[in-house]
Amino acid sequence: PGAPAPFGGVRYQPLMDSPDALLLPSEEPSDGTRNKHGQLVFQGQPDFKPNLTPMEMIRRGIFG
């Protein structure tokens, strides 16, 4: 599958969609909308209510 990795093992290439792949309407990216408590709300996902978007997490240094 991938090229040899240092110290043994194998490097894997990330999976990529083909250039002609289309997103289905249910897969369109969305940052949701905020409710009165500041939580993000997503249509069809009533139990998923994060308080930060992925970009907000990255800007706050989620990866250190």
Side-chain angles (χ1 to χ4, degrees):
F7 310 108
V10 177
R11 283 190 186 141
Y12 289 93
Q13 301 298 323
L15 295 175
M16 304 287 286
D17 286 332
S18 64
D20 58 342
L22 298 175
L23 290 177
L24 299 174
S26 63
E27 297 174 347
E28 287 293 326
S30 170
D31 283 337
T33 56
R34 294 201 184 263
N35 64 17
K36 65 182 179 181
H37 304 289
Q39 299 168 319
L40 293 163
V41 179
F42 298 89
Q43 185 177 7
Q45 299 295 325
D47 297 327
F48 182 62
K49 298 178 186 169
N51 60 348
L52 297 173
T53 65
M55 185 55 68
E56 289 170 332
M57 291 188 285
I58 291 170
R59 286 184 179 145
R60 291 181 184 203
I62 191 171
F63 295 113

